[in-house]
């Protein structure tokens, strides 16, 4: 069983970053609620525990605490920021409230060169702090091994019990030697083997899928996006034709999208793929509807109905395959004003598993997005599939403002295709996070040749983002934008004006509806 480092979440904004950094060091890591039981950790084969930072003060009533029995498990513990204060407070030291707050950059000086956690670190290096409370007295058995300007206990250790703590954040990039410290914890303290790789993941997951599914059948709604596509290829590798993928063409797709999906998954990956032409059904239901929420609701409802009908045609099916990934399932913990608790659920086929009594098969649910891409690469999937820009479930419906008409969609498809094609051919596609065209049902006056025109407007949207929560508009070269505009106006009948969206999120959103 793969070795696992447990990251206990005390509400830090960096909890996911810690788990990702550990995995980058080739050690598997999972995030747990701060009060997880030692039994669960034992079941999950943990070989070390990291306490995340967090916004609370250990001195406040009701501040989150780990189960004390974790200290008796005999596994190494690393406390980061709030985590070091927990170690000190729960093991008999003393924490002072708001004494000498440290925020931002600091200089770490190693005072004990024999400390394995700081092995090979230079005497001085930059670290990133963000804490109000501070350790004032160490618990018995601990000693300080490094200091910063404001803290004589910047790094502490209890060699006998393998407990370590640090006031600063090793997981953030501004801590120069943060990765070295984490590696030392993993390899020198926890004695990890480094057995986490995408190749080993594929091997064990293929095995697990075979055992779980047996001779039963799996259905999967393939969207062509990264997550559902990697899930499909992985499940197909495990069980071949016991997997059927359904791709619904709701008429709101980009130019030639259905054909491209068929070529990639049916012809190249040999996946049993059903494509459903449901364009007329969707467009009929959407006719005359202008309210964005209403449009989304209709599309969601129709999608489920169409998909459900197809499932019935496939015969007996026991499992629903889904491309759920780790950020979709991590529960965020509300601590001291942190965002409300929410468990995001995968939305494509909401409610379907319960209604059709299907079991879920989610082979990617423990992977971060970059790992999903690495698995795809391991499975031989091409770069343009794995690094495709995100595309919303309701498709072009949210980019064709107001009422949806086929005539509008056709204009949008052509304009969008020119924009994307030019991004590729100018080597810019992978520099932007998401790019697309938007159809504005507004007619403006223009001249073409000797004639006056009265045609529609296309807006270009390109953004850079990391998680879609915030985004900046991409500063594409002017000559590139000029070329795209000229091509769209010349080649797409019905368009005589192209505009550029230069709003950031927030306050705008990425999509227009
Ligand atoms: P917004 O417009 O909210 O979009 O800034 C953030 C990201 O989410 C995508 N998006 C969706 N994805 N179903 C999806 O699967 C949807 O209904 C949906 N709406 C927006 C959007 O393309 C952007 O990447």
């Amino acid at each position: 069983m793969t070795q696992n480092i447990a990251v206990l979440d005390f509400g830090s904004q960096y909890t996911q970053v810690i788990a990702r950094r550990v995995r980058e060091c080739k050690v598997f890591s999972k995030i747990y609620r701060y009060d997880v039981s030692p039994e669960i950790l034992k079941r999950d084969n943990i070989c070390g525990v990291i306490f995340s930072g967090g916004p609370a003060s250990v001195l406040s009533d009701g501040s989150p605490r780990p189960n004390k029995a974790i200290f008796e498990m005999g596994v190494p513990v690393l406390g980061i920021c709030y985590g070091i204060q927990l170690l000190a407070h729960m093991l008999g030291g003393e924490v002072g409230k708001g004494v000498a707050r440290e925020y931002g950059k600091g200089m770490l000086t190693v005072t004990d060169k024999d400390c394995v956690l700081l092995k090979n670190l230079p005497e001085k290096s930059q670290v990133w702090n963000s804490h109000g409370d501070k350790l004032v007295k160490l618990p018995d058995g601990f000693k300080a091994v490094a200091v910063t300007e404001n803290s004589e206990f910047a790094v502490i250790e209890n060699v006998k019990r393998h407990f370590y703590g640090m006031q600063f954040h090793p997981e953030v990039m501004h801590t120069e030697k943060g990765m070295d410290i984490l590696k030392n914890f993993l390899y020198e303290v926890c004695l990890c083997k480094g057995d986490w790789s995408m190749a080993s993941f594929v091997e064990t997951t293929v095995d697990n899928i075979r055992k779980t599914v047996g001779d039963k059948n799996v259905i999967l709604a393939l969207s062509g996006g990264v997550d559902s596509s990697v899930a499909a290829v992985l499940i197909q590798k495990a069980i071949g034709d016991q997997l059927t993928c359904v791709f619904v063409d709701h008429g709101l797709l980009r130019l030639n999208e259905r054909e491209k999906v068929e070529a990639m998954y049916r012809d190249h990956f040999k996946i049993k793929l059903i494509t459903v032409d449901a364009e007329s059904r969707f467009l009929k239901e959407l006719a005359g509807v202008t309210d964005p929420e209403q449009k989304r609701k209709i599309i969601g409802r129709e999608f489920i109905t169409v998909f459900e009908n197809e499932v019935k045609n496939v015969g007996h099916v026991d499992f629903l395959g889904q491309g759920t990934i780790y950020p979709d399932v991590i529960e965020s913990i509300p601590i001291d004003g942190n965002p409300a608790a929410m468990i995001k659920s995968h939305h494509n086929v909401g409610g379907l598993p319960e209604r059709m009594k299907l079991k879920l098969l989610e082979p990617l649910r423990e992977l971060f997005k970059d790992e999903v891409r690495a698995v795809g690469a391991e499975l031989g999937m091409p770069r343009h599939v794995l690094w495709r820009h995100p595309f919303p479930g309701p498709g072009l419906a949210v980019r064709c403002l107001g009422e949806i008409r086929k005539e509008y969609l056709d204009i949008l498809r052509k304009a969008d295709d020119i924009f994307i094609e030019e991004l590729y051919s100018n080597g810019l596609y992978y520099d932007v996070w998401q790019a697309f065209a938007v159809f504005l049902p507004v007619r403006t006056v223009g001249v073409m040749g000797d004639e006056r025109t009265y045609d529609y407007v296309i807006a270009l949207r390109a953004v850079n983002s990391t998680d879609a929560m915030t985004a900046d508009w991409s500063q594409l070269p002017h000559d590139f934008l000029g070329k795209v505009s000229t091509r769209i106006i010349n080649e797409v009948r019905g368009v005589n004006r192209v505009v550029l969206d230069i709003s950031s999120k927030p306050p705008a959103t990425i999509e227009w509806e």
Side-chain angles (χ1 to χ4, degrees), residues 249-274:
D249 180 351
H250 45 26
L252 305 162
L253 300 172
R254 289 160 292 186
L255 199 67
N256 302 325
E257 191 158 3
R258 177 164 28 133
E259 293 75 6
K260 285 182 194 162
V261 164
E262 286 172 341
M264 175 65 58
Y265 300 100
R266 184 183 293 152
D267 304 342
H268 181 75
F269 282 108
K270 310 290 177 213
I271 287 178
K272 197 157 108 192
L273 173 68
I274 299 173

PDB file of all heavy atoms in Angstrom, residues 249-274:
ATOM      1  N   ASP A 249     -24.158  15.737 -27.895  1.00  0.00           N
ATOM      2  CA  ASP A 249     -24.001  16.945 -28.713  1.00  0.00           C
ATOM      3  C   ASP A 249     -25.278  17.764 -28.557  1.00  0.00           C
ATOM      4  O   ASP A 249     -26.298  17.454 -29.173  1.00  0.00           O
ATOM      5  CB  ASP A 249     -23.758  16.551 -30.177  1.00  0.00           C
ATOM      6  CG  ASP A 249     -23.581  17.782 -31.060  1.00  0.00           C
ATOM      7  OD1 ASP A 249     -23.822  18.904 -30.573  1.00  0.00           O
ATOM      8  OD2 ASP A 249     -23.212  17.612 -32.232  1.00  0.00           O
ATOM      9  N   HIS A 250     -25.198  18.780 -27.711  1.00  0.00           N
ATOM     10  CA  HIS A 250     -26.411  19.570 -27.443  1.00  0.00           C
ATOM     11  C   HIS A 250     -26.565  20.746 -28.415  1.00  0.00           C
ATOM     12  O   HIS A 250     -27.390  21.629 -28.205  1.00  0.00           O
ATOM     13  CB  HIS A 250     -26.471  20.042 -25.987  1.00  0.00           C
ATOM     14  CG  HIS A 250     -25.194  20.608 -25.436  1.00  0.00           C
ATOM     15  ND1 HIS A 250     -24.221  21.193 -26.206  1.00  0.00           N
ATOM     16  CD2 HIS A 250     -24.751  20.672 -24.160  1.00  0.00           C
ATOM     17  CE1 HIS A 250     -23.236  21.593 -25.427  1.00  0.00           C
ATOM     18  NE2 HIS A 250     -23.527  21.282 -24.183  1.00  0.00           N
ATOM     19  N   GLY A 251     -25.718  20.729 -29.450  1.00  0.00           N
ATOM     20  CA  GLY A 251     -25.825  21.808 -30.439  1.00  0.00           C
ATOM     21  C   GLY A 251     -25.176  23.091 -29.961  1.00  0.00           C
ATOM     22  O   GLY A 251     -25.255  24.119 -30.629  1.00  0.00           O
ATOM     23  N   LEU A 252     -24.544  23.020 -28.793  1.00  0.00           N
ATOM     24  CA  LEU A 252     -23.918  24.213 -28.224  1.00  0.00           C
ATOM     25  C   LEU A 252     -22.410  24.019 -28.145  1.00  0.00           C
ATOM     26  O   LEU A 252     -21.735  24.575 -27.283  1.00  0.00           O
ATOM     27  CB  LEU A 252     -24.508  24.468 -26.820  1.00  0.00           C
ATOM     28  CG  LEU A 252     -26.039  24.587 -26.805  1.00  0.00           C
ATOM     29  CD1 LEU A 252     -26.592  24.384 -25.405  1.00  0.00           C
ATOM     30  CD2 LEU A 252     -26.472  25.943 -27.347  1.00  0.00           C
ATOM     31  N   LEU A 253     -21.909  23.149 -29.032  1.00  0.00           N
ATOM     32  CA  LEU A 253     -20.479  22.832 -29.031  1.00  0.00           C
ATOM     33  C   LEU A 253     -19.730  23.728 -29.997  1.00  0.00           C
ATOM     34  O   LEU A 253     -20.320  24.419 -30.819  1.00  0.00           O
ATOM     35  CB  LEU A 253     -20.286  21.372 -29.455  1.00  0.00           C
ATOM     36  CG  LEU A 253     -20.945  20.331 -28.566  1.00  0.00           C
ATOM     37  CD1 LEU A 253     -20.832  18.954 -29.212  1.00  0.00           C
ATOM     38  CD2 LEU A 253     -20.297  20.322 -27.186  1.00  0.00           C
ATOM     39  N   ARG A 254     -18.390  23.664 -29.889  1.00  0.00           N
ATOM     40  CA  ARG A 254     -17.574  24.455 -30.806  1.00  0.00           C
ATOM     41  C   ARG A 254     -17.488  23.771 -32.173  1.00  0.00           C
ATOM     42  O   ARG A 254     -17.946  22.633 -32.332  1.00  0.00           O
ATOM     43  CB  ARG A 254     -16.184  24.650 -30.187  1.00  0.00           C
ATOM     44  CG  ARG A 254     -16.240  25.590 -29.011  1.00  0.00           C
ATOM     45  CD  ARG A 254     -15.066  25.459 -28.107  1.00  0.00           C
ATOM     46  NE  ARG A 254     -15.043  24.183 -27.414  1.00  0.00           N
ATOM     47  CZ  ARG A 254     -14.163  23.863 -26.478  1.00  0.00           C
ATOM     48  NH1 ARG A 254     -13.215  24.707 -26.147  1.00  0.00           N
ATOM     49  NH2 ARG A 254     -14.218  22.698 -25.871  1.00  0.00           N
ATOM     50  N   LEU A 255     -16.860  24.466 -33.123  1.00  0.00           N
ATOM     51  CA  LEU A 255     -16.818  23.962 -34.494  1.00  0.00           C
ATOM     52  C   LEU A 255     -16.192  22.555 -34.562  1.00  0.00           C
ATOM     53  O   LEU A 255     -15.090  22.341 -34.037  1.00  0.00           O
ATOM     54  CB  LEU A 255     -16.007  24.941 -35.369  1.00  0.00           C
ATOM     55  CG  LEU A 255     -16.206  24.840 -36.863  1.00  0.00           C
ATOM     56  CD1 LEU A 255     -17.622  25.253 -37.258  1.00  0.00           C
ATOM     57  CD2 LEU A 255     -15.176  25.715 -37.589  1.00  0.00           C
ATOM     58  N   ASN A 256     -16.879  21.630 -35.180  1.00  0.00           N
ATOM     59  CA  ASN A 256     -16.397  20.249 -35.400  1.00  0.00           C
ATOM     60  C   ASN A 256     -16.033  19.507 -34.114  1.00  0.00           C
ATOM     61  O   ASN A 256     -15.241  18.574 -34.140  1.00  0.00           O
ATOM     62  CB  ASN A 256     -15.162  20.233 -36.308  1.00  0.00           C
ATOM     63  CG  ASN A 256     -15.452  20.887 -37.638  1.00  0.00           C
ATOM     64  OD1 ASN A 256     -16.569  20.775 -38.148  1.00  0.00           O
ATOM     65  ND2 ASN A 256     -14.466  21.584 -38.193  1.00  0.00           N
ATOM     66  N   GLU A 257     -16.583  19.932 -32.999  1.00  0.00           N
ATOM     67  CA  GLU A 257     -16.175  19.332 -31.732  1.00  0.00           C
ATOM     68  C   GLU A 257     -16.568  17.857 -31.642  1.00  0.00           C
ATOM     69  O   GLU A 257     -15.795  17.026 -31.185  1.00  0.00           O
ATOM     70  CB  GLU A 257     -16.768  20.120 -30.559  1.00  0.00           C
ATOM     71  CG  GLU A 257     -16.173  19.713 -29.233  1.00  0.00           C
ATOM     72  CD  GLU A 257     -16.317  20.801 -28.174  1.00  0.00           C
ATOM     73  OE1 GLU A 257     -16.922  21.848 -28.459  1.00  0.00           O
ATOM     74  OE2 GLU A 257     -15.818  20.576 -27.068  1.00  0.00           O
ATOM     75  N   ARG A 258     -17.763  17.545 -32.074  1.00  0.00           N
ATOM     76  CA  ARG A 258     -18.206  16.149 -31.978  1.00  0.00           C
ATOM     77  C   ARG A 258     -17.291  15.247 -32.811  1.00  0.00           C
ATOM     78  O   ARG A 258     -16.858  14.188 -32.354  1.00  0.00           O
ATOM     79  CB  ARG A 258     -19.652  16.008 -32.459  1.00  0.00           C
ATOM     80  CG  ARG A 258     -20.051  14.552 -32.429  1.00  0.00           C
ATOM     81  CD  ARG A 258     -21.512  14.243 -32.509  1.00  0.00           C
ATOM     82  NE  ARG A 258     -22.368  15.169 -33.194  1.00  0.00           N
ATOM     83  CZ  ARG A 258     -23.283  14.793 -34.092  1.00  0.00           C
ATOM     84  NH1 ARG A 258     -23.400  13.524 -34.430  1.00  0.00           N
ATOM     85  NH2 ARG A 258     -24.075  15.662 -34.642  1.00  0.00           N
ATOM     86  N   GLU A 259     -16.963  15.693 -34.016  1.00  0.00           N
ATOM     87  CA  GLU A 259     -16.119  14.890 -34.901  1.00  0.00           C
ATOM     88  C   GLU A 259     -14.731  14.688 -34.272  1.00  0.00           C
ATOM     89  O   GLU A 259     -14.153  13.602 -34.352  1.00  0.00           O
ATOM     90  CB  GLU A 259     -15.950  15.564 -36.269  1.00  0.00           C
ATOM     91  CG  GLU A 259     -17.219  15.643 -37.107  1.00  0.00           C
ATOM     92  CD  GLU A 259     -18.227  16.704 -36.653  1.00  0.00           C
ATOM     93  OE1 GLU A 259     -17.899  17.499 -35.730  1.00  0.00           O
ATOM     94  OE2 GLU A 259     -19.351  16.736 -37.178  1.00  0.00           O
ATOM     95  N   LYS A 260     -14.223  15.729 -33.638  1.00  0.00           N
ATOM     96  CA  LYS A 260     -12.891  15.613 -33.017  1.00  0.00           C
ATOM     97  C   LYS A 260     -12.918  14.623 -31.857  1.00  0.00           C
ATOM     98  O   LYS A 260     -11.988  13.827 -31.686  1.00  0.00           O
ATOM     99  CB  LYS A 260     -12.435  16.986 -32.506  1.00  0.00           C
ATOM    100  CG  LYS A 260     -11.981  17.921 -33.612  1.00  0.00           C
ATOM    101  CD  LYS A 260     -11.503  19.238 -33.025  1.00  0.00           C
ATOM    102  CE  LYS A 260     -11.372  20.303 -34.098  1.00  0.00           C
ATOM    103  NZ  LYS A 260     -11.332  21.659 -33.553  1.00  0.00           N
ATOM    104  N   VAL A 261     -13.996  14.667 -31.074  1.00  0.00           N
ATOM    105  CA  VAL A 261     -14.120  13.731 -29.947  1.00  0.00           C
ATOM    106  C   VAL A 261     -14.219  12.297 -30.484  1.00  0.00           C
ATOM    107  O   VAL A 261     -13.583  11.374 -29.966  1.00  0.00           O
ATOM    108  CB  VAL A 261     -15.341  14.102 -29.063  1.00  0.00           C
ATOM    109  CG1 VAL A 261     -15.743  12.963 -28.142  1.00  0.00           C
ATOM    110  CG2 VAL A 261     -15.023  15.352 -28.250  1.00  0.00           C
ATOM    111  N   GLU A 262     -14.989  12.115 -31.542  1.00  0.00           N
ATOM    112  CA  GLU A 262     -15.121  10.762 -32.119  1.00  0.00           C
ATOM    113  C   GLU A 262     -13.776  10.250 -32.627  1.00  0.00           C
ATOM    114  O   GLU A 262     -13.418   9.097 -32.401  1.00  0.00           O
ATOM    115  CB  GLU A 262     -16.163  10.783 -33.257  1.00  0.00           C
ATOM    116  CG  GLU A 262     -17.576  10.886 -32.713  1.00  0.00           C
ATOM    117  CD  GLU A 262     -18.635  11.108 -33.792  1.00  0.00           C
ATOM    118  OE1 GLU A 262     -18.287  11.543 -34.917  1.00  0.00           O
ATOM    119  OE2 GLU A 262     -19.812  10.859 -33.502  1.00  0.00           O
ATOM    120  N   ALA A 263     -13.042  11.136 -33.301  1.00  0.00           N
ATOM    121  CA  ALA A 263     -11.755  10.712 -33.850  1.00  0.00           C
ATOM    122  C   ALA A 263     -10.789  10.336 -32.725  1.00  0.00           C
ATOM    123  O   ALA A 263     -10.073   9.333 -32.805  1.00  0.00           O
ATOM    124  CB  ALA A 263     -11.161  11.829 -34.703  1.00  0.00           C
ATOM    125  N   MET A 264     -10.793  11.133 -31.667  1.00  0.00           N
ATOM    126  CA  MET A 264      -9.837  10.892 -30.583  1.00  0.00           C
ATOM    127  C   MET A 264     -10.203   9.642 -29.773  1.00  0.00           C
ATOM    128  O   MET A 264      -9.382   8.770 -29.547  1.00  0.00           O
ATOM    129  CB  MET A 264      -9.791  12.135 -29.673  1.00  0.00           C
ATOM    130  CG  MET A 264      -8.928  12.008 -28.438  1.00  0.00           C
ATOM    131  SD  MET A 264      -7.174  11.812 -28.801  1.00  0.00           S
ATOM    132  CE  MET A 264      -6.833  13.278 -29.737  1.00  0.00           C
ATOM    133  N   TYR A 265     -11.458   9.561 -29.337  1.00  0.00           N
ATOM    134  CA  TYR A 265     -11.779   8.504 -28.362  1.00  0.00           C
ATOM    135  C   TYR A 265     -12.271   7.221 -29.017  1.00  0.00           C
ATOM    136  O   TYR A 265     -11.923   6.131 -28.573  1.00  0.00           O
ATOM    137  CB  TYR A 265     -12.754   9.052 -27.299  1.00  0.00           C
ATOM    138  CG  TYR A 265     -12.086  10.210 -26.585  1.00  0.00           C
ATOM    139  CD1 TYR A 265     -12.381  11.521 -26.907  1.00  0.00           C
ATOM    140  CD2 TYR A 265     -11.070   9.961 -25.661  1.00  0.00           C
ATOM    141  CE1 TYR A 265     -11.711  12.576 -26.311  1.00  0.00           C
ATOM    142  CE2 TYR A 265     -10.390  11.010 -25.059  1.00  0.00           C
ATOM    143  CZ  TYR A 265     -10.709  12.310 -25.382  1.00  0.00           C
ATOM    144  OH  TYR A 265     -10.027  13.344 -24.800  1.00  0.00           O
ATOM    145  N   ARG A 266     -13.043   7.317 -30.092  1.00  0.00           N
ATOM    146  CA  ARG A 266     -13.524   6.089 -30.732  1.00  0.00           C
ATOM    147  C   ARG A 266     -12.433   5.512 -31.635  1.00  0.00           C
ATOM    148  O   ARG A 266     -12.068   4.346 -31.521  1.00  0.00           O
ATOM    149  CB  ARG A 266     -14.783   6.371 -31.547  1.00  0.00           C
ATOM    150  CG  ARG A 266     -15.366   5.114 -32.152  1.00  0.00           C
ATOM    151  CD  ARG A 266     -16.578   5.453 -33.005  1.00  0.00           C
ATOM    152  NE  ARG A 266     -17.694   5.948 -32.208  1.00  0.00           N
ATOM    153  CZ  ARG A 266     -18.634   6.784 -32.663  1.00  0.00           C
ATOM    154  NH1 ARG A 266     -18.590   7.230 -33.909  1.00  0.00           N
ATOM    155  NH2 ARG A 266     -19.626   7.169 -31.892  1.00  0.00           N
ATOM    156  N   ASP A 267     -11.858   6.363 -32.497  1.00  0.00           N
ATOM    157  CA  ASP A 267     -10.908   5.841 -33.483  1.00  0.00           C
ATOM    158  C   ASP A 267      -9.530   5.602 -32.873  1.00  0.00           C
ATOM    159  O   ASP A 267      -8.928   4.565 -33.079  1.00  0.00           O
ATOM    160  CB  ASP A 267     -10.779   6.814 -34.664  1.00  0.00           C
ATOM    161  CG  ASP A 267     -12.142   7.083 -35.294  1.00  0.00           C
ATOM    162  OD1 ASP A 267     -13.056   6.282 -35.033  1.00  0.00           O
ATOM    163  OD2 ASP A 267     -12.288   8.088 -36.024  1.00  0.00           O
ATOM    164  N   HIS A 268      -9.052   6.577 -32.109  1.00  0.00           N
ATOM    165  CA  HIS A 268      -7.688   6.448 -31.599  1.00  0.00           C
ATOM    166  C   HIS A 268      -7.611   5.589 -30.323  1.00  0.00           C
ATOM    167  O   HIS A 268      -6.836   4.643 -30.254  1.00  0.00           O
ATOM    168  CB  HIS A 268      -7.094   7.834 -31.348  1.00  0.00           C
ATOM    169  CG  HIS A 268      -5.689   7.789 -30.856  1.00  0.00           C
ATOM    170  ND1 HIS A 268      -4.614   7.504 -31.683  1.00  0.00           N
ATOM    171  CD2 HIS A 268      -5.159   7.948 -29.614  1.00  0.00           C
ATOM    172  CE1 HIS A 268      -3.505   7.497 -30.980  1.00  0.00           C
ATOM    173  NE2 HIS A 268      -3.806   7.757 -29.728  1.00  0.00           N
ATOM    174  N   PHE A 269      -8.427   5.896 -29.338  1.00  0.00           N
ATOM    175  CA  PHE A 269      -8.335   5.137 -28.082  1.00  0.00           C
ATOM    176  C   PHE A 269      -9.232   3.899 -28.048  1.00  0.00           C
ATOM    177  O   PHE A 269      -9.234   3.170 -27.059  1.00  0.00           O
ATOM    178  CB  PHE A 269      -8.622   6.047 -26.881  1.00  0.00           C
ATOM    179  CG  PHE A 269      -7.448   6.919 -26.518  1.00  0.00           C
ATOM    180  CD1 PHE A 269      -7.462   8.278 -26.767  1.00  0.00           C
ATOM    181  CD2 PHE A 269      -6.306   6.374 -25.938  1.00  0.00           C
ATOM    182  CE1 PHE A 269      -6.372   9.081 -26.447  1.00  0.00           C
ATOM    183  CE2 PHE A 269      -5.214   7.158 -25.617  1.00  0.00           C
ATOM    184  CZ  PHE A 269      -5.247   8.516 -25.876  1.00  0.00           C
ATOM    185  N   LYS A 270      -9.999   3.681 -29.117  1.00  0.00           N
ATOM    186  CA  LYS A 270     -10.842   2.477 -29.238  1.00  0.00           C
ATOM    187  C   LYS A 270     -11.858   2.353 -28.105  1.00  0.00           C
ATOM    188  O   LYS A 270     -12.154   1.241 -27.614  1.00  0.00           O
ATOM    189  CB  LYS A 270      -9.979   1.191 -29.279  1.00  0.00           C
ATOM    190  CG  LYS A 270      -8.827   1.236 -30.278  1.00  0.00           C
ATOM    191  CD  LYS A 270      -9.330   1.206 -31.702  1.00  0.00           C
ATOM    192  CE  LYS A 270      -8.202   1.323 -32.720  1.00  0.00           C
ATOM    193  NZ  LYS A 270      -8.563   2.024 -33.945  1.00  0.00           N
ATOM    194  N   ILE A 271     -12.354   3.462 -27.666  1.00  0.00           N
ATOM    195  CA  ILE A 271     -13.364   3.448 -26.605  1.00  0.00           C
ATOM    196  C   ILE A 271     -14.738   3.238 -27.231  1.00  0.00           C
ATOM    197  O   ILE A 271     -15.042   3.793 -28.297  1.00  0.00           O
ATOM    198  CB  ILE A 271     -13.320   4.792 -25.824  1.00  0.00           C
ATOM    199  CG1 ILE A 271     -12.073   4.825 -24.935  1.00  0.00           C
ATOM    200  CG2 ILE A 271     -14.583   4.998 -24.982  1.00  0.00           C
ATOM    201  CD1 ILE A 271     -11.886   6.113 -24.162  1.00  0.00           C
ATOM    202  N   LYS A 272     -15.559   2.422 -26.560  1.00  0.00           N
ATOM    203  CA  LYS A 272     -16.928   2.237 -27.042  1.00  0.00           C
ATOM    204  C   LYS A 272     -17.674   3.542 -26.756  1.00  0.00           C
ATOM    205  O   LYS A 272     -17.952   3.866 -25.591  1.00  0.00           O
ATOM    206  CB  LYS A 272     -17.565   1.058 -26.300  1.00  0.00           C
ATOM    207  CG  LYS A 272     -18.797   0.523 -26.959  1.00  0.00           C
ATOM    208  CD  LYS A 272     -19.019  -0.920 -26.518  1.00  0.00           C
ATOM    209  CE  LYS A 272     -20.194  -1.017 -25.579  1.00  0.00           C
ATOM    210  NZ  LYS A 272     -20.334  -2.277 -24.901  1.00  0.00           N
ATOM    211  N   LEU A 273     -17.941   4.302 -27.817  1.00  0.00           N
ATOM    212  CA  LEU A 273     -18.460   5.663 -27.635  1.00  0.00           C
ATOM    213  C   LEU A 273     -19.775   5.854 -28.377  1.00  0.00           C
ATOM    214  O   LEU A 273     -19.885   5.567 -29.569  1.00  0.00           O
ATOM    215  CB  LEU A 273     -17.426   6.670 -28.177  1.00  0.00           C
ATOM    216  CG  LEU A 273     -17.848   8.132 -28.230  1.00  0.00           C
ATOM    217  CD1 LEU A 273     -18.005   8.694 -26.830  1.00  0.00           C
ATOM    218  CD2 LEU A 273     -16.811   8.958 -29.009  1.00  0.00           C
ATOM    219  N   ILE A 274     -20.766   6.325 -27.639  1.00  0.00           N
ATOM    220  CA  ILE A 274     -22.034   6.670 -28.282  1.00  0.00           C
ATOM    221  C   ILE A 274     -22.108   8.194 -28.348  1.00  0.00           C
ATOM    222  O   ILE A 274     -21.947   8.863 -27.319  1.00  0.00           O
ATOM    223  CB  ILE A 274     -23.233   6.169 -27.436  1.00  0.00           C
ATOM    224  CG1 ILE A 274     -23.185   4.657 -27.308  1.00  0.00           C
ATOM    225  CG2 ILE A 274     -24.558   6.639 -28.025  1.00  0.00           C
ATOM    226  CD1 ILE A 274     -24.227   4.109 -26.354  1.00  0.00           C
TER     227      ILE A 274
END
